[in-house]
Amino acid sequence: SIQPPEKPLQAEEWNRLRESFRSPEIFEEVMFNSMVRCNSPIDVAKSLLTHVAKSKGDIAYNLLIKYLALCVQQGQTSEIRDTYDIMKIRFRILESGAYNLLIRGLSNSDQWRMALTLLEEVKKIMIPSRTNYESCIKAASRHQEMNLAFELYHEMLAKDLVPTLDVLQAFFDFSRGMKGAELQKELFGILLYLRDNQIYPHKTFMRSIKLWFESIPGGNWRGHLTNIKDSGQCPVCNHQLEDSDLTEEEYNNLRERIIRDVIHGTDTFRKTSPQEFEAFQTFVENRLPFDIVIDGLNVSHIKPRKMQCENLFDAVNCLAKENARLLVLGRKHMLINSSNWKRGIMKEMQNKADFFFAENISEDDAFLLYATLQSGKHCKFVTRDFLRDHKACLADSLTRHLFRKWQRGHQIVFSPSVEGKRINFLPAFCYDCVVQTTGDTWHIPYKDTFEEKYSYRVPRKWLCIQQK
Amino acid sequence: MQSANVLLKKIVRSSVLPFAAQHGMKKDLFPLSRTLSLSFCLKQDNSCNPSEKLDLDAWKKVMRSGLQDEVSETVSERKELSTLAAAREVLEMWRLAGRSVPENISEEQLKTFLECPSKSAKKKYLKYLHLKELHKKNDKRKMDEKRERRLETEERASKTDETKRNSFVCLWANCMDRTYGWRAAQSMIFGQPLVFDMSYEKDMSVREVANTVRQIVLSEGCNRRSVDPFHIHFCNFKGDSLYHKEFVKHYREAWGKLLITVTDQCYTDVFPKDKLIYLTADSPKVMKTFDHDKIYIVGSMVDRSIKTGVSLARAKRLGLETAALPLEKYLLWNTGAKNLTLDQMMHILLTLKDTGDWKAALEFVPKRKYYGFVSKPVHELKKNLNLINTLKLGKRQEEVRKQFAKNYSKKLTQK
């Protein structure tokens, strides 16, 4: 749009520029925007402010904010302070945008304590944003005031703000080589926070964790990067990782919640009908327990060039080893002889597995979850679906975490790497992919890249830390 | 009462303050401005270090001068501010910062704002109020312009002194109203019933209910103006509901005189079950023709937060027949949900009733939602598409395309 000048201009020159602009009434605003974008020298902005102040006798709040943004961008601490003083004189209160800029700007300077006072000021009118806290926490830990930093961190958690990975990493970075049992406890607390919320650190964060562990004076911690074996054993320390089995209480809790929130929800008729669900319940009770529950329609689409019933047939054959008891869930339309569903093949499959056919307008996924949970902890299920919409039906985050944990350990997925004609499945994990500790060991799964594209993918790489 | 006074004082002060400051200062500043000397300067070479003449921090002096006394007063008063007044102040600052915030906000709206559960909800609500305000302002401006133009023409007309030729015109609107009323009355006796199911209040937010009622008001309007109106039934209508409140807001005293049937009974109690058909986009059955002997039910629900299967669940519970409009059969769908607004449904149903022509009826589907009408059966279109693709891309692509067409037509027959 408009290019800001390189040198400060005289009033006359600003006037000329303003008049040549197509809508002079927003000239200053547009000019400041492009100054921020081009990171213009601060003097240019000052000359425009001076021009505005002299011609209008006042400078509008939004211009001051834009000027502030430019100062913050360039780390002009004294200017930030001056602007703050002026704003305080001129306006009774400031709003969140100004505070965000001020806190960010000052926390990066030697006047970082001023950012803390500003944070207190913000608290009087609203809940500070998580970036406000982030700036202050980073500033405090940068100056080795770890107690203060943790105080702010706990305050932030108490306000239900979610800390960024960046802040968490900063704690590890700035605590490196520091002594103190209290500090160590706090940092272990952060690792347990990652565990509880099923967060995986990225590679650089993992390095910070490793370096911190190894820097603890007298701690004798050693970290190694490794891949966990399929059996769930760590190749470095031979420690067996914990499995993703839920406790009896958690399991029952999850099952009840699935029935209540996912199957019934606000209205049982939305996904099924009470008669149908009852019929399904008695069907399952009479045939329990199953070893594997299969989402028939989902599996039948694995290879798009094959007939759907052939796909399902291959899958059933592949899974029906060692007398495993199978349950295949489908819909009634699969029973009508059609080009994709041959009656003969369907008959043959029904000898190898139990089948339940839901109404064509019912949701078979809900049945899948119910049948698997009802069969017990050993039972696995097969679908390529990520079940995110069902997870979303669960009311609270705690149950959602339980669901994720259970899903990780019990979902068998189609293996995409095999390009051949045969259908192959990846077995469910027999260990849980989550930050875990035994006291003298820590195992931390991490993501290879900073921006992991798929949230559902669990990392295969681990950091193993053990105390010698 | 006292706090109200304080509040009033605040508002007056805050709106006056910048104005006063501006004017007060301009006077003081005048000797400072150097317009004369500058214009002289410009004639000379500009590159002779202009920054020397520029005091870059002059703006700070301007901003600091003459305001101190105001501040000392305000700081001491600040502690007494109620949360409402404080919120009002924050909003004012946001407005100054250039955010989408309304200029005027009522006490009630301010309370709603404070009750919003999250920051983003607050932001959304403010933006909504802001846009509403803008629309209102624009409408008012247009009205004023129109009035001015009318006055002008009237003036001109009175000058030319043209005699009024027909008094017929003045009666037109009144006359039409009566005709419509007559037709609606007829439909109350002989017309085909059309049911609005008013049992979705708990599935909607306050704004969604307001939107629903607006859509129904529009529907009722276009029904009244049609040649052969439906006999509209509001079923499951509770007297103390939000629906009722909103209807009264829209119709005022006309609410009691509407030629429609309003009942708190369910449609299954009013009509024989086998005659009812619940219209819902989630229905697996597709409507083929409009049946003049059936009674169609439309769910009075606006769903901004994708709750699928709510109305289908209701029909399933009561064991009613369901149907969806044959949108896929007649239109090449582009984007957007298949659920239509209530007034669009009304237009479509009225057209179907009068002509039975699907093409004419589906003209009322918003144009942005589809590419065009399907002129030939879908499978023929796909065949052509295949041919083009074979010529363009070779054989492998064709295979994929075929598979797609197969699946696609299957989806059509299943749904």
Side-chain angles (χ1 to χ4, degrees), chain B residues 215-323:
Chain B
Q215 289 180 10
I216 293 177
V217 170
L218 287 172
S219 311
E220 190 271 325
C222 86
N223 182 57
R224 191 174 356 135
R225 274 186 287 278
S226 72
V227 188
D228 179 19
F230 283 107
H231 175 193
I232 295 180
H233 285 73
F234 290 173
C235 288
N236 293 322
F237 191 92
K238 303 280 176 297
D240 54 348
S241 61
L242 208 56
Y243 279 124
H244 181 236
K245 214 179 110 198
E246 285 290 327
F247 272 120
V248 172
K249 214 193 254 175
H250 266 284
Y251 281 114
R252 311 234 172 110
E253 58 272 22
W255 169 244
K257 296 182 209 152
L258 281 182
L259 292 171
I260 57 174
T261 301
V262 179
T263 168
D264 62 349
Q265 280 181 301
C266 186
Y267 28 85
T268 45
D269 301 331
V270 182
F271 302 106
K273 237 181 185 179
D274 56 323
K275 290 251 172 185
L276 293 168
I277 296 183
Y278 211 116
L279 293 175
T280 162
D282 295 322
S283 171
K285 280 195 203 102
V286 173
M287 198 168 157
K288 286 209 176 69
T289 50
F290 182 87
D291 193 334
H292 295 269
D293 289 330
K294 296 280 188 194
I295 295 148
Y296 291 96
I297 308 167
V298 179
S300 306
M301 176 179 179
V302 168
D303 176 20
R304 283 165 178 270
S305 61
I306 321 144
K307 296 183 199 94
T308 46
V310 174
S311 54
L312 183 64
R314 200 135 303 177
K316 258 160 91 181
R317 179 194 298 280
L318 297 169
L320 297 179
E321 204 181 318
T322 60

Side-chain angles (χ1 to χ4, degrees), chain B residues 141-155:
Chain B
R141 189 176 47 81
K142 276 181 199 157
M143 283 283 277
D144 287 346
E145 277 170 16
K146 209 172 161 190
R147 190 183 309 130
E148 225 157 83
R149 248 181 288 139
R150 205 183 51 218
L151 281 176
E152 243 171 60
T153 49
E154 258 171 38
E155 216 167 284

Side-chain angles (χ1 to χ4, degrees), chain A residues 208-224:
Chain A
S208 301
I209 295 172
K210 181 170 179 281
L211 287 174
W212 172 74
F213 266 106
E214 291 172 342
S215 77
I216 299 173
N220 280 327
W221 291 93
R222 280 290 155 269
H224 297 274

Side-chain angles (χ1 to χ4, degrees), chain A residues 184-220:
Chain A
Q184 200 164 318
K185 213 179 112 198
E186 289 281 13
L187 288 164
F188 284 166
I190 292 179
L191 291 176
L192 293 176
Y193 176 84
L194 295 182
R195 176 190 168 87
D196 291 342
N197 293 286
Q198 307 190 13
I199 300 168
Y200 307 117
H202 49 81
K203 209 171 185 174
T204 48
F205 187 6
M206 177 277 296
R207 274 212 196 95
S208 301
I209 295 172
K210 181 170 179 281
L211 287 174
W212 172 74
F213 266 106
E214 291 172 342
S215 77
I216 299 173
N220 280 327

Side-chain angles (χ1 to χ4, degrees), chain A residues 358-372:
Chain A
E359 292 294 331
N360 291 342
I361 51 170
S362 293
E363 283 220 28
D364 45 2
D365 286 354
F367 292 155
L368 177 86
L369 296 177
Y370 177 79
T372 315

